[in-house]
Amino acid sequence: MRYIIIGAGAVGGTVGGRLAEAGHEVVLVARGAQYAALRDGGLRLRVPEGEFTYRLPVVEDPAGLGVLRADDVLVLAVKTQDTEGALDAWGPAPVEGGGTAAERLPLLCAQNGVEGQRVALRRFRHVYGVCVWLPATFVEPGLVSAAGSPLTGILHLGVYPHGMDETARRIAADLEKSRFEAPVVPDLARWQYAKLLSNLANAVEAVAGPVEGEEAVTLVERVQAEGVAVLEAAGIAYTSPEEQREVRGDKITLLPLDDAPRGGGSSWQSLTRGTGTIEADYLNGEIALLGRLHGVPTPLNDLLQRLANAYARERKEAGSMPVGELVRLADEAVTAVEVQRSGK
């Protein structure tokens, strides 16, 4: 199979580089400065074993490949807010032998949250979800780093909305030859919702910096407790921290990389790069949506969603709000909801 990595940033670049290293055929899809850097200098992947450069085909859109092959796998690794644009571009792409990518090719959604694959299923017949546990950083155009060792990441995958098939097993086999663990599971959503709970901290980190110290840790616990209450009200199952630890064990240890310190998570990286967008609508916003559907107040996630979007829109510096100020705003948001509810 040939892997077309749509969104060759931190996650997409790492997956593409590791697949190429293992001998698999890979095409990278990127735009702007990242496209130019990959085209001119190749993909540079900095990992614990050193820095490697992969000279891979790179395109901006399907026109750069012409007719797609019947054995192509599309790996959607863009942020969720960029999903619609990617589907618009790649869904109608013609495939050899007739039909389009949306009709014939597998689409693997390697994204945070749960919404991207749902959006994809409106267009594509064969959608696969991935629960991405892959510490990676976009360092600069053309260069990504991934500090995990001995495994680079763990990528649970399965058919969306549920199930397993031979295509998923073949993809998993290729990933497992490429320094990933890739369990194929029938209940992928359980893993994805557990990951969603952990990703609720992304906005805290993006707005107020690393989650360190009692104030920040306690705030994240409150935000995640709100998420747990929402999932339980909605009847949505998720893997427990104990089950996650049992599966992950010590398979991934983050090692220091020369000149590539581990930055923050994906939301922090979006602010640092000044992209103007952030995925809070699909992380904290997912909890807010479920809360409204099931009658559970979510003042903390509402607040973080608003703040993260404002920081992205106004291109504010990542981590520039003092933690104490964020905690004060959080307390005010909770109090306002309590007062409103008590007055009903």
Side-chain angles (χ1 to χ4, degrees):
M1 295 184 288
R2 180 174 69 169
Y3 291 89
I4 299 176
I5 311 294
I6 304 170
V11 169
T14 300
V15 171
R18 285 306 204 188
L19 284 168
E21 176 188 342
H24 301 291
E25 195 172 356
V26 174
V27 175
L28 303 176
V29 181
R31 296 176 300 175
Q34 179 72 340
Y35 168 78
L38 294 172
R39 178 197 61 200
D40 298 339
L43 170 65
R44 295 157 57 207
L45 178 61
R46 190 171 292 166
V47 289
E49 311 92 75
E51 183 174 310
F52 303 91
T53 298
Y54 302 98
R55 297 282 182 170
L56 303 172
V58 56
V59 299
E60 293 181 287
D61 52 44
L65 290 174
V67 177
L68 300 181
R69 293 175 6 191
D71 64 347
D72 281 338
V73 175
L74 305 182
V75 180
L76 188 65
V78 300
K79 295 291 197 302
T80 304
Q81 62 267 27
D82 298 320
T83 297
E84 289 279 6
L87 298 177
D88 285 344
W90 289 88
V95 179
E96 62 184 5
T100 65
E103 294 170 318
R104 295 186 54 197
L105 298 184
L107 178 74
L108 202 66
C109 295
Q111 301 170 292
N112 282 334
V114 296
E115 183 64 14
Q117 58 205 5
R118 185 173 182 272
V119 173
L121 199 60
R122 293 179 183 273
R123 316 275 193 92
F124 278 73
R125 292 181 183 174
H126 309 290
V127 176
Y128 297 80
V130 185
C131 180
V132 180
W133 197 51
L134 169 54
T137 301
F138 180 97
V139 180
E140 63 185 33
L143 174 62
V144 297
S145 70
S149 179
L151 291 178
T152 299
I154 299 178
L155 308 173
H156 285 77
L157 65 143
V159 177
Y160 181 76
H162 48 73
M164 305 181 291
D165 66 9
E166 186 57 30
T167 297
R169 294 186 182 94
R170 290 179 62 200
I171 294 169
D174 285 351
L175 290 169
E176 293 198 336
K177 295 173 184 174
S178 309
R179 297 179 184 263
F180 296 101
E181 185 170 290
V184 180
V185 294
D187 55 349
L188 180 67
R190 291 178 63 244
W191 294 92
Q192 291 180 316
Y193 277 103
K195 177 76 185 310
L196 173 64
L197 289 175
S198 69
N199 283 148
L200 298 180
N202 287 19
V204 174
E205 180 186 57
V207 171
V211 179
E212 300 170 348
E214 184 176 352
E215 270 193 313
V217 170
T218 299
L219 176 59
V220 166
E221 289 173 349
R222 293 168 63 192
V223 171
Q224 292 174 337
E226 201 174 80
V228 167
V230 165
L231 294 187
E232 291 181 351
I236 295 174
Y238 56 93
T239 54
S240 67
E242 293 75 21
E243 185 175 357
Q244 295 175 63
R245 284 194 294 269
E246 182 178 349
V247 169
R248 291 170 180 167
D250 57 358
K251 297 172 184 176
I252 300 178
T253 299
L254 299 186
L255 301 179
L257 302 178
D258 292 342
D259 301 322
R262 166 68 178 153
S266 56
S267 298
W268 183 90
Q269 292 182 50
S270 291
L271 292 185
T272 300
R273 294 173 60 189
T275 62
T277 65
I278 199 166
E279 57 189 342
D281 285 346
Y282 305 100
L283 301 177
N284 307 91
E286 181 69 25
I287 296 301
L289 169 62
L290 289 171
R292 291 165 192 151
L293 288 173
H294 297 279
V296 179
T298 58
L300 298 178
N301 282 280
D302 292 351
L303 171 68
L304 289 170
Q305 180 185 4
R306 290 196 304 272
L307 287 175
N309 279 322
Y311 265 57
R313 184 174 57 251
E314 298 167 19
R315 289 177 166 77
K316 292 185 177 181
E317 181 183 353
S320 57
M321 178 180 287
V323 173
E325 174 65 8
L326 181 56
V327 171
R328 184 187 67 78
L329 293 174
D331 290 341
E332 288 182 354
V334 170
T335 299
V337 168
E338 291 173 346
V339 169
Q340 182 183 31
R341 287 170 67 86
S342 66
K344 289 184 178 179

